[in-house]
């Protein structure tokens, strides 16, 4: 299923890919051990401005068509063509309408990217998750919740690198919010450990190499 709807969807998708390519050296990931079966609620931590772009790349690679609630949707409504939906902090009726429409579309086969912490904030803490996750899980039969850890590293290269790790699905039921938050914290700890230890990751998206890598004259020498 295509995440990008029509010509405008391809335009927005192209903008996202170009931005990631320009801003990062590379984006890496550990894919889920088994392909998630929709309907899925992807629950990433929200430590970086580019989180939504990275989740777009992830669900596109997985081939799972997703919705995404956006607080500042009105600033760039063309995100609707890649799954964006309005979720303004100052309009409870519009949030409720989006939640009802989301549940209906998920019962028809869509999935959801949900930044359940509610706000963009600095790492390393994972904030308590909002009850919207519980509401969607109750309304959508057989939904699974997939924690997704996103870690940014700015140390060895000119541009930051992003590392993404998908956890195991969590079933709907009692204590869903706390179980999901605990799983997300574990996945974040693991991805940070893996990065520190130099563990292998797959490349999700290529970025821009360091200036010394791009302009290394040794590559042009002829012997």
């Amino acid at each position: 299923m295509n995440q990008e709807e029509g010509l405008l969807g391809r335009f927005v998708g192209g903008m996202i890919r170009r931005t990631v390519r320009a801003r990062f050296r590379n984006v890496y990931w550990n894919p889920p051990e088994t392909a998630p079966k929709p309907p899925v609620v992807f629950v990433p931590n929200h430590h970086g401005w580019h989180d939504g772009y990275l989740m777009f790349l992830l669900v596109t690679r997985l081939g799972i068509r997703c919705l995404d609630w956006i607080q500042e949707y009105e600033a760039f409504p063309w995100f609707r063509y890649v799954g964006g939906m309005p979720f303004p902090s100052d309009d409870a009726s519009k949030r409720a309408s989006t939640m009802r429409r989301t549940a209906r579309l998920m019962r028809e086969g869509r999935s959801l990217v949900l930044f359940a912490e509610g706000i963009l904030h600095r790492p390393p803490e994972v904030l308590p998750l909002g009850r919207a996750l519980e509401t969607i899980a109750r309304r959508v039969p057989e939904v699974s919740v997939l924690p997704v850890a996103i870690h940014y590293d700015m140390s060895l290269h000119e541009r930051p690198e992003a590392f993404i790790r998908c956890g195991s699905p969590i079933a709907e039921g009692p204590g869903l919010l706390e179980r999901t938050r605990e799983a997300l914290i574990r996945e974040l700890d693991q991805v940070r450990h893996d990065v520190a230890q130099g563990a292998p990751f797959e490349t999700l998206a290529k970025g821009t190499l360091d200036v010394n890598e791009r302009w290394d004259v040794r590559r042009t020498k002829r012997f």
Side-chain angles (χ1 to χ4, degrees), residues 23-27 152-155 157-162:
R23 299 291 184 267
F24 292 89
R25 182 178 183 273
N26 278 319
V27 178
Y152 297 97
D153 182 78
M154 183 67 190
S155 57
H157 297 282
E158 179 184 3
R159 289 169 174 79
E161 297 176 290

Side-chain angles (χ1 to χ4, degrees), residues 31-78:
E33 294 183 2
T34 58
K37 182 180 178 182
V40 182
V41 181
F42 294 89
V43 181
N45 55 293
H46 204 6
H47 291 158
W49 190 94
H50 291 92
D51 291 342
Y53 287 12
L54 300 188
M55 289 303 299
F56 167 84
L57 297 174
L58 183 145
V59 301
T60 299
R61 176 69 69 90
L62 291 174
I64 298 177
R65 193 177 182 191
C66 284
L67 306 166
D68 183 7
W69 298 348
I70 302 175
Q71 183 173 322
E72 298 183 5
Y73 173 89
E74 300 299 336
F76 193 76
W78 296 277

Side-chain angles (χ1 to χ4, degrees), residues 15-212:
M15 179 272 293
I16 291 172
R17 293 183 179 91
R18 287 192 299 273
T19 299
V20 170
R21 187 164 58 247
R23 299 291 184 267
F24 292 89
R25 182 178 183 273
N26 278 319
V27 178
Y28 303 96
W29 74 325
N30 288 140
E33 294 183 2
T34 58
K37 182 180 178 182
V40 182
V41 181
F42 294 89
V43 181
N45 55 293
H46 204 6
H47 291 158
W49 190 94
H50 291 92
D51 291 342
Y53 287 12
L54 300 188
M55 289 303 299
F56 167 84
L57 297 174
L58 183 145
V59 301
T60 299
R61 176 69 69 90
L62 291 174
I64 298 177
R65 193 177 182 191
C66 284
L67 306 166
D68 183 7
W69 298 348
I70 302 175
Q71 183 173 322
E72 298 183 5
Y73 173 89
E74 300 299 336
F76 193 76
W78 296 277
F79 277 125
R80 64 175 292 188
Y81 297 102
V82 292
M85 301 179 76
F87 206 74
S89 59
D90 59 352
D91 191 333
S93 63
K94 187 167 287 188
R95 294 197 304 273
S97 175
T98 290
M99 291 177 69
R100 288 192 297 270
R101 183 163 179 255
T102 297
R104 176 177 59 80
L105 290 172
M106 290 184 72
R107 290 192 292 267
E108 296 172 0
R110 296 278 192 102
S111 292
L112 173 67
V113 172
L114 177 59
F115 291 99
E117 293 177 277
I119 60 171
L120 174 64
H121 63 99
R122 296 184 185 277
E125 183 183 7
V126 175
L127 302 180
L129 307 186
R131 295 199 174 277
L133 173 59
E134 283 185 326
T135 302
I136 289 296
R138 284 196 305 267
R139 294 181 180 181
V140 181
E142 299 182 358
V143 70
S144 62
V145 176
L146 194 76
V148 181
I150 303 175
H151 171 63
Y152 297 97
D153 182 78
M154 183 67 190
S155 57
L156 301 183
H157 297 282
E158 179 184 3
R159 289 169 174 79
E161 297 176 290
F163 298 84
I164 305 173
R165 178 181 171 87
C166 295
S168 300
I170 299 170
E172 194 277 331
L176 176 64
L177 297 183
E178 192 55 36
R179 287 188 289 120
T180 302
R181 181 171 180 267
E182 289 172 354
L184 186 52
I185 291 170
R186 287 195 301 271
E187 297 303 329
L188 269 171
D189 287 343
Q190 186 63 54
V191 74
R192 289 166 180 153
H193 175 270
D194 290 346
V195 170
Q197 296 299 314
F201 286 82
E202 296 182 23
T203 300
L204 177 63
K206 292 184 177 180
T208 301
L209 296 178
D210 303 345
V211 64
N212 55 299

